[in-house]
Amino acid sequence: MSDMVMPRRSALGLLGGLATAVAAPRGATAATGSIPGYDTPEGKLRALIMMRGALDDRLVIYWLRSQYFGLADGAITPMLGMVSASFSRYRPHKDGGYIAARGEAAYFTDFQNIDVQSSVRNPYTGQMMQTPERSPHPSPVRIQADSTISVAEGAGLQFRNVVENVEIVGGDVLLNERSMSTLPIPGGKPSLYNEIVTYRAKAADMANPAVKRPVCTTSVTTTISWRSWMGMGDRPGHILAVGVGGFVSSIDQLPPSWIEATSRLHPDLLKDPVAYLAPVWNGMG
């Protein structure tokens, strides 16, 4: 997307009698035999919602720190960083699957992710890049019963999302989510954004019927077309971004640089993220 980072009420038992008809997740105990297996659509959806959001409608708070590298001529060059936080709420949809309200505030930083910066020097051109400001607006997310994800798409934006099969490795549950988006640019090359998010949580937590939101961490790898504000012109190459993130229970646990920037730029979001999501949350079908 142009100059943008993709960019994220009751338990799943409301999906009906499916839970008692399928096997437990691999590695689950006998006590969790009512939970659908990960190799079923129901089990995969349950895992995705637990790690991406929650099985109830609580406010879910997520942070991400990324480092952006230029990738040109086979070499990587440190460029800048990004710090972001997103807020979301999930609930079952009447037609199956889930629907969510989600919004994100993201800021560019120096490469070490220490301070939010309005400008960063481009290591390729030597010129200062004026990093853009983006107003955080919440939007709806639809997750179908087969774990297909769709988002509100802007004019001309083409978005595709794939959720891989669940894996259990060393007592952890892992799930990969791939997103690919293309935005046509009049008179120029399309703007591309491709992202892979790996969610990781403890298998024991995932298999516990009482857990609606497990402790979960993420790793993120992204490839992005040069952005216009970078001043790269026709230079071959693109951006490679790598990041780590996680979920927290309160805003004061978010990265200090994000809190400081949001207190200046979007104080209403910092004060009441539930109210920030309310226009989308209350209007969803």
Side-chain angles (χ1 to χ4, degrees):
M1 296 185 297
S2 180
D3 297 344
M4 190 167 73
V5 179
M6 282 288 293
R8 165 62 331 180
R9 186 165 299 175
S10 58
L12 193 61
L14 290 180
L15 288 176
L18 292 169
T20 58
V22 292
R26 294 183 297 273
T29 66
T32 63
S34 62
I35 295 177
Y38 293 133
D39 57 351
T40 68
E42 298 79 22
K44 181 178 177 180
L45 174 65
R46 179 181 181 274
L48 175 65
I49 298 301
M50 287 183 74
M51 291 197 282
R52 199 181 200 269
L55 294 180
D56 53 24
D57 66 357
R58 74 186 65 188
L59 178 70
V60 177
I61 307 173
Y62 170 72
W63 62 270
L64 175 68
R65 285 188 181 277
S66 299
Q67 291 181 308
Y68 281 47
F69 299 84
L71 182 57
D73 299 324
I76 59 172
T77 300
M79 294 188 71
L80 71 167
M82 188 200 73
V83 61
S84 69
S86 67
F87 302 88
S88 59
R89 298 180 70 189
Y90 288 72
R91 67 178 182 234
H93 191 272
K94 64 183 186 306
D95 296 328
Y98 276 74
I99 195 164
R102 182 185 184 278
E104 177 187 57
Y107 311 107
F108 289 103
T109 72
D110 59 273
F111 184 73
Q112 299 302 327
N113 290 125
I114 297 174
D115 297 316
V116 172
Q117 304 283 343
S118 60
S119 62
V120 179
R121 189 171 301 280
N122 186 321
Y124 292 99
T125 67
Q127 302 299 311
M128 296 301 292
M129 301 180 290
Q130 301 300 316
T131 59
E133 288 189 12
R134 296 183 302 277
S135 297
H137 295 296
S139 60
V141 178
R142 178 74 169 97
I143 303 180
Q144 304 287 350
D146 65 356
S147 296
T148 302
I149 300 175
S150 58
V151 299
E153 299 182 7
L157 176 67
Q158 300 174 7
F159 174 81
R160 187 165 64 92
N161 183 282
V162 176
V163 177
E164 305 287 357
N165 291 331
V166 175
E167 295 184 71
I168 297 182
V169 179
D172 290 341
V173 173
L174 282 77
L175 185 63
N176 286 337
E177 178 187 339
R178 291 185 285 124
S179 301
M180 296 74 68
S181 62
T182 304
L183 182 67
I185 303 296
K189 296 180 179 179
S191 179
L192 307 178
Y193 184 96
N194 304 291
E195 180 179 83
I196 301 174
V197 182
T198 299
Y199 302 93
R200 180 187 292 265
K202 293 297 183 184
D205 291 340
M206 296 292 290
N208 186 343
V211 175
K212 311 300 181 186
R213 162 77 251 169
V215 175
C216 181
T217 59
T218 67
S219 59
V220 182
T221 303
T222 311
T223 59
I224 316 168
S225 301
W226 300 127
R227 293 323 196 203
S228 59
W229 51 268
M230 293 180 173
M232 297 298 284
D234 295 329
R235 183 187 297 268
H238 60 273
I239 301 162
L240 170 67
V242 293
V244 294
F247 296 81
V248 296
S249 57
S250 63
I251 287 179
D252 59 6
Q253 296 173 321
L254 291 170
S257 58
W258 185 91
I259 293 175
E260 188 280 327
T262 305
S263 68
R264 290 186 290 105
L265 301 172
H266 307 292
D268 291 344
L269 168 59
L270 195 66
K271 180 180 178 181
D272 193 347
V274 171
Y276 154 75
L277 292 175
V280 172
W281 178 258
N282 296 334
M284 296 187 308

